[in-house]
Amino acid sequence: MSLANFHTNLKTTLAADSTLVAWAIDNFNKDLTQLDGVPDVQMVNPAEIPANIFEVGDAELGPMAIGGGQQDVEDYLLVGFLWEEHDPATALAQRKALADLFPPIIRKNRTLIGAGTGCWVTRRDSDKGLRHPFHLMVFRVAGQYESVN
């Protein structure tokens, strides 16, 4: 397994998740655009909003096995949700709904990296409406697997 596989499988899982798609359609009348590696959310084209933004986070690397060739890895992918909502009360309701909605998607797909692996949400950060009318919520998703050289 690799970080690239983790990234690809997470994107595929989120794009196909009916609960997440329904949340986007119900709130924005369109599905989420998937974007990779956006250094500044102000660079996102308004036509691409609402968006799922994927970025590589940090990683924890375990010791190498004696003789080399294997190492436990805990990689983090950052999954951001960017959307536009002018009504503050509606935006707050959307942030609360997304905070409740996203972790179970990951829990029910915790082996999306592959057999003998796992993934889970370790953190959630919200911009708390500071970019109003744009809103950003970022989840840190951990993926644990064994890297074999």
Side-chain angles (χ1 to χ4, degrees), residues 3 12 20 22 25 30 40 47 55 64 73 90 98 100 105 121 124 127 140:
L3 178 60
T12 301
L20 187 57
I25 300 294
K30 63 186 269 191
D40 184 349
E55 184 55 77
M64 288 289 289
V73 177
T90 300
L98 184 58
D100 288 340
I105 294 170
V121 175
R124 178 189 77 232
D127 70 355
R140 184 173 72 173

Side-chain angles (χ1 to χ4, degrees), residues 29-104:
N29 297 316
K30 63 186 269 191
D31 200 357
L32 296 160
T33 303
Q34 290 191 330
L35 304 172
D36 288 328
V38 176
D40 184 349
V41 295
Q42 294 177 346
M43 297 172 62
V44 176
N45 182 331
E48 296 176 312
I49 296 173
N52 246 159
I53 301 171
F54 296 86
E55 184 55 77
V56 174
D58 297 328
E60 300 287 334
L61 306 176
M64 288 289 289
I66 295 175
Q70 290 180 243
Q71 186 173 28
D72 288 336
V73 177
E74 189 170 299
D75 261 319
Y76 299 103
L77 286 174
L78 304 176
V79 182
F81 290 83
L82 177 66
W83 71 93
E84 181 177 5
E85 175 54 59
H86 291 266
D87 180 62
T90 300
L92 176 62
Q94 291 166 337
R95 287 194 300 276
K96 290 189 303 186
L98 184 58
D100 288 340
L101 172 86
F102 186 76

Side-chain angles (χ1 to χ4, degrees), residues 6-7 13 28-29 45-46 51 82 95-96 98 117 128 130:
F6 179 25
H7 176 230
T13 297
F28 315 112
N29 297 316
N45 182 331
L82 177 66
R95 287 194 300 276
K96 290 189 303 186
L98 184 58
T117 64
K128 301 163 193 70
L130 296 176

Side-chain angles (χ1 to χ4, degrees), residues 7-20:
H7 176 230
T8 299
N9 292 348
L10 183 58
K11 284 180 68 172
T12 301
T13 297
L14 295 181
D17 186 85
S18 60
T19 307
L20 187 57

